[in-house]
Amino acid sequence: MRDRLSRPEDFAWQAAVVIVSHGECPESATEEDQGGFDRVAESDSAVANWLAGPHAAQPPGAEQGPRFRRLAAMPAPERRAWLGRYLASRKSCTPSEVPVL
């Protein structure tokens, strides 16, 4: 399998998860705004699903919920703008800095 991915569907999912990762936030930040971090996690999942595509090997329980459907339904220019703001916030441990989906 030299020079080929043995499981491209799994690679797509893993790459998407790394892209949306919000880094390592201290536990104290999570405790301060649990609801905000839950919202960010839901957006992270939606973006990972969208980036990975329909053929990605997603883990059990990964679903295309309302946030995914909102992202997929956005007109392309609006989605590009939103994704740009979202990806710019990846290093933030402050949920209010992550755009709402």
Side-chain angles (χ1 to χ4, degrees):
M1 298 286 313
R2 178 173 242 172
D3 297 328
R4 289 190 2 212
L5 294 172
S6 60
R7 295 177 28 206
E9 299 83 10
D10 185 49
F11 178 80
W13 175 252
Q14 295 299 325
V17 168
V18 169
I19 289 170
V20 303
S21 172
H22 271 84
E24 296 184 22
C25 296
E27 193 171 318
S28 60
T30 306
E31 292 169 357
E32 289 175 20
D33 188 2
Q34 186 61 52
F37 274 93
D38 290 345
R39 177 187 60 79
V40 169
E42 290 172 11
S43 293
D44 291 348
S45 178
V47 173
N49 279 322
W50 188 83
L51 288 174
H55 303 294
Q58 299 174 2
E63 62 212 33
Q64 297 177 348
R67 292 181 194 271
F68 172 85
R69 289 189 294 275
R70 233 175 280 144
L71 180 63
M74 283 182 187
E78 182 181 342
R79 184 175 40 245
R80 276 192 300 275
W82 186 88
L83 284 169
R85 291 190 312 274
Y86 169 83
L87 292 172
S89 73
R90 281 185 36 209
K91 304 271 186 213
S92 177
C93 288
T94 306
S96 62
E97 293 178 2
V98 179
V100 174
L101 180 63

